[in-house]
């Protein structure tokens, strides 16, 4: 999901990422790196292909990889693993299941799918909060499409049976803003936008359910993610129903309130030598198998969990002090991964000039 970082350019670009082009016939430009996000940018096929890729069966005429089906089941390490799709009709029931599960499986791996990036800060002089301003303006404008949550115990073992829920939110291609290439990518990965429009989850209801789920405001819950500034931004928007805080410092204060313990795998690898690239490449290097379809949040959250525990075992064994990497986000805040020298921000949208120089550290 995000390509590797490119070197920054000092010149302004007049190319603007397209948004909601189905209203004007535009097909858009190549997918910017922050949209595909560096989770799946490995140039190699996975050494352990997912059982998903060999299945072409259909259920009632629906392709097996479509998120319109109720659930996917896979054989993983001798056990059946389920990814369960959640829509408006079953969201309250499934959140009740999670409330029970979080007591015994306090590790939560998270991934989101969202409709790309449609506005970028314009650049002339350096501003230290460039990347946060880019994140904020896009999340304030856009809607989340999908959230994947996977659960494991302290030993990294998935919850029995169904360790993964894939929440599918209300999203209408005729009304909501998006970048066309991001939508194309998601459609090709099995996202059914017809279902999102007709039976997607109301974000307001989900935020209420999440507040009483045991997932947030509890430092016993450990959130695991990969290069996840945008992911947490969308979660904060769901929880608060407000625009993101105006400055990065306030953003991190809110983040720590709702998610007291965060582990960003991309930041963890920045402390090591020899680990580069996206989630899929890192998972391949560590021998972790993908379960399900790339570019769907459920599968990506399962791979995130497996990779986190494999990395911890290989590179951070017996480490009792996690202060080096706890509550850090790759590319944001004041840590060593924040790029310096990016231009100042004043943002624009589709018919205005936007800067695309460099990449936004985004995911």
């Amino acid at each position: 999901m995000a390509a590797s970082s490119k070197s920054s350019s000092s010149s302004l670009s007049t190319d603007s990422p397209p948004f909601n082009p189905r209203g004007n016939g535009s097909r858009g430009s190549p997918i910017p790196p922050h949209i595909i996000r560096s989770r799946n940018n490995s140039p190699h096929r996975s050494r352990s292909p997912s059982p998903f890729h060999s299945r072409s069966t259909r259920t009632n005429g629906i392709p097996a990889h479509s998120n319109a089906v109720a659930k996917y089941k896979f054989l993983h390490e001798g056990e059946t693993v389920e990814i369960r799709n959640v829509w408006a009709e079953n969201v309250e029931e499934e959140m009740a299941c999670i409330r029970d599960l979080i007591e015994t499986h306090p590790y939560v791996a998270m991934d989101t799918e969202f409709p790309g990036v449609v506005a970028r800060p314009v650049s002339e002089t350096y501003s230290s909060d460039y990347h946060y301003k880019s994140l904020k303006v896009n999340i304030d404008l856009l809607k989340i499409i999908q959230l994947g949550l996977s659960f494991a115990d302290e030993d990294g073992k998935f919850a029995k049976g169904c360790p993964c829920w894939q929440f599918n939110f209300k999203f209408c291609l005729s009304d909501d803003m998006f970048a066309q290439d991001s939508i194309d990518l998601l459609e090709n990965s099995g996202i059914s936008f017809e279902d999102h429009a007709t039976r997607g989850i109301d974000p307001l209801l989900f935020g209420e359910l999440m507040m009483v789920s045991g997932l947030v405001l509890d430092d016993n819950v450990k959130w695991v993610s990969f290069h996840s500034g945008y992911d947490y931004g969308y979660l904060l928007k769901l929880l608060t129903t407000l625009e993101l805080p105006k400055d990065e410092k306030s953003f991190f204060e809110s983040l720590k309130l709702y998610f007291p313990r965060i582990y960003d795998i991309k930041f963890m690898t920045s402390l090591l030598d020899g680990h580069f690239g996206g989630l899929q490449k890192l998972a391949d290097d560590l021998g972790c198998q993908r379960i399900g379809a790339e570019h769907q949040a459920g599968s990506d959250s399962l791979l995130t969990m497996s990779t986190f525990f494999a990395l911890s075992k290989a590179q951070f064994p017996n480490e009792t002090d996690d202060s080096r990497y706890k509550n850090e986000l790759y590319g944001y805040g004041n840590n060593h991964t924040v790029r310096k020298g990016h231009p100042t921000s004043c943002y624009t949208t589709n018919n205005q000039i936007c800067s695309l120089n460099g990449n936004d550290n985004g995911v």
Side-chain angles (χ1 to χ4, degrees):
M1 298 191 302
S4 341
S5 296
K6 297 179 181 177
S7 61
S8 212
S9 166
S10 60
S11 61
L12 289 176
S13 167
T14 57
D15 295 325
S16 172
F19 74 100
N20 203 2
R22 294 193 177 185
N24 59 24
S26 169
R27 291 302 297 172
S29 58
I31 303 172
H34 47 279
I35 294 177
I36 38 181
R37 301 156 60 197
S38 53
R39 293 183 176 88
N40 303 305
N41 66 340
S42 170
H44 310 291
R45 300 290 294 183
S46 171
R47 294 176 195 157
S48 305
S50 163
F52 166 85
H53 294 292
S54 63
R55 298 173 64 186
S56 58
T57 58
R58 290 173 172 255
T59 303
N60 296 327
I62 302 173
H65 68 287
S66 170
N67 67 331
V69 303
K71 56 191 173 186
Y72 321 111
K73 288 190 175 181
F74 308 95
L75 190 64
H76 177 69
E77 296 182 352
E79 295 188 1
T80 299
V81 173
E82 177 183 326
I83 300 175
R84 188 172 300 169
N85 276 305
V86 186
W87 298 91
E89 63 267 21
N90 65 330
V91 62
E92 295 190 43
E93 175 186 354
E94 299 305 332
M95 287 299 282
C97 294
I98 287 175
R99 280 198 295 273
D100 294 334
L101 187 64
I102 196 67
E103 296 294 327
T104 55
H105 294 76
Y107 280 84
V108 184
M110 175 271 292
D111 181 72
T112 67
E113 301 299 341
F114 53 89
V117 169
V118 301
R120 299 292 293 266
V122 173
S123 57
E124 287 183 356
T125 58
Y126 169 65
S127 172
S128 61
D129 60 355
Y130 173 91
H131 301 297
Y132 176 70
K133 286 186 178 296
S134 179
L135 177 152
K136 172 179 163 53
V137 66
N138 281 282
I139 292 175
D140 288 349
L141 286 169
L142 302 175
K143 295 181 178 179
I144 189 173
I145 294 173
Q146 194 178 67
L147 169 68
L149 298 179
S150 293
F151 296 83
D153 63 17
E154 297 281 352
D155 298 319
K157 294 181 180 178
F158 288 137
K160 295 287 185 182
C162 178
C164 179
W165 281 259
Q166 192 162 255
F167 296 89
N168 300 287
F169 292 92
K170 186 83 171 177
F171 192 90
C172 182
L173 292 177
S174 61
D175 297 330
D176 295 322
M177 195 180 295
F178 58 83
Q180 181 65 56
D181 290 311
S182 190
I183 296 301
D184 291 343
L185 177 70
L186 294 176
E187 284 183 324
N188 290 336
S189 301
I191 300 297
S192 172
F193 283 103
E194 180 178 347
D195 286 274
H196 280 269
T198 57
R199 61 191 186 110
I201 299 166
D202 178 356
L204 293 176
L205 173 61
F206 183 83
E208 293 173 1
L209 294 172
M210 193 172 181
M211 283 294 293
V212 296
S213 66
L215 290 169
V216 296
L217 305 168
D218 186 346
D219 60 7
N220 291 316
V221 178
K222 295 102 172 171
W223 284 79
V224 178
S225 55
F226 186 93
H227 208 170
S228 45
Y230 275 78
D231 300 305
Y232 285 112
Y234 277 104
L235 287 187
L236 281 182
K237 184 177 180 179
L238 286 171
L239 289 164
T240 66
T241 71
L242 301 172
E243 292 186 346
L244 293 186
K246 291 187 179 298
D247 59 85
E248 194 171 37
K249 180 176 181 293
S250 299
F251 170 75
F252 274 96
E253 289 171 353
S254 294
L255 196 63
K256 191 169 183 180
L257 173 66
Y258 288 100
F259 306 97
R261 297 180 72 175
I262 286 174
Y263 301 104
D264 183 340
I265 299 171
K266 183 73 171 175
F267 181 83
M268 292 172 68
T269 61
S270 75
L271 303 174
L272 307 170
D273 293 327
H275 286 283
F276 303 99
L279 175 63
Q280 188 65 64
K281 174 64 165 60
L282 180 61
D284 288 347
D285 291 344
L286 294 168
C288 299
Q289 181 187 33
R290 175 177 287 279
I291 304 170
E294 287 184 333
H295 304 302
Q296 287 204 31
S299 173
D300 286 344
S301 68
L302 284 169
L303 190 63
T304 297
M305 185 75 83
S306 297
T307 304
F308 170 76
F309 278 99
L311 179 69
S312 297
K313 182 178 180 180
Q315 299 291 341
F316 301 90
N318 305 316
E319 186 160 334
T320 57
D321 181 8
D322 59 8
S323 60
R324 287 197 299 156
Y325 48 83
K326 184 178 74 171
N327 296 335
E328 296 283 359
L329 291 182
Y330 187 93
Y332 297 91
N334 297 312
N335 62 62
H336 68 274
T337 68
V338 178
R339 291 179 190 275
K340 307 299 181 185
H342 237 313
T344 218
S345 65
C346 104
Y347 51 82
T348 57
T349 51
N350 77 321
N351 291 324
Q352 301 167 290
I353 296 175
C354 292
S355 169
L356 291 178
N357 64 350
N359 106 11
D360 83 333
N361 266 324
V363 271

